[in-house]
Amino acid sequence: EIMKKIISLLLVAVMLCALLTACGSKKSFTVGFDAEFPPYGYANEKGEYVGFDLDLAAEVCNRRGWDVKFQPIEWASKDMELESGTIDCIWNGFTMSEDRIDQYEWSDAYVDNSQVFIVKSDSGIATQADLAGKIVAVQAASSALEALEAEESAALLGSFKELIQVPDYNTAFMYLESGAAEAIAMDIGVAKFQMAERGAEKFVVLEEKLVSELYGVGFLKGNTELRDQVQETLYEMVKDGKFDEIAKKWDLQDCVVLGK
């Protein structure tokens, strides 16, 4: 009889501990991102995950009392990761394109990710018209390539001597610096990061944009509650200046559009 009482008390104690632990544990928020997309999200030389989007997510979680987790994903598998619950959102330079707009619950746009052309500062190229007869590099499967292959860009694309598709931006800049290409089509945020790494004075961004696109945070369709919580906190960050502070850290202050 005494043993039964002891066992019963132990069971009650275990249940109480479990309840207290559950009540005391923080909600986790898992961010799905492409780990090779600086300055939005990438692995630095120490192997740490850093970037503008990751800083924003970390600040949102800090204010919400959530545990942030950064989950690198294969970009092609992002929908499967989101639907399975492995990640809570896609937050990493995620373009709010027309074909995606109805597939997710979106935050308000927070970055204007314009597609632009980068040339060497001594190239003599000043406008898109000057790209006629030139070799242009672009990353394969990128938004810039989609923009160049769109119907409205047919005349511009047709004016190039050649359009070279490369696997990554490092290769594109190697082509530009060696003279194997005379321009790169890419998004402005990544361009600024790459230019700063290599010596910004060596390059020029053509003023005329190829196309403007907006970045948002994508959540599982129907999960408006989580979207609203994140968005509310992002607007708080805009109001108290923290959002701009993080944007300046990554030299993206000219690209942010949230609350403007």
Side-chain angles (χ1 to χ4, degrees), residues 16 63 76 81 107 159-160 177 186 203 210 219 223 235 239:
L16 281 170
R63 294 181 181 219
E81 301 275 12
S107 71
S159 74
F160 300 162
E177 290 181 291
M186 62 191 299
F203 309 99
L210 174 57
F219 299 84
N223 195 356
Y235 275 109
K239 195 172 181 180

Side-chain angles (χ1 to χ4, degrees), residues 31-35 41-42 49-50 54 70-73 75 89 91-92:
V31 177
F33 73 105
D34 175 356
Y42 63 105
Y49 295 131
V50 297
L54 304 193
F70 299 131
Q71 180 62 52
I73 57 173
W75 200 241
C89 68
W91 195 339
N92 187 214

Side-chain angles (χ1 to χ4, degrees), residues 235-251:
Y235 275 109
E236 283 176 12
M237 290 159 57
V238 169
K239 195 172 181 180
D240 63 29
K242 187 65 176 180
F243 191 96
D244 277 341
E245 181 187 317
I246 295 172
K248 283 174 184 171
K249 173 185 171 182
W250 295 101
D251 195 24

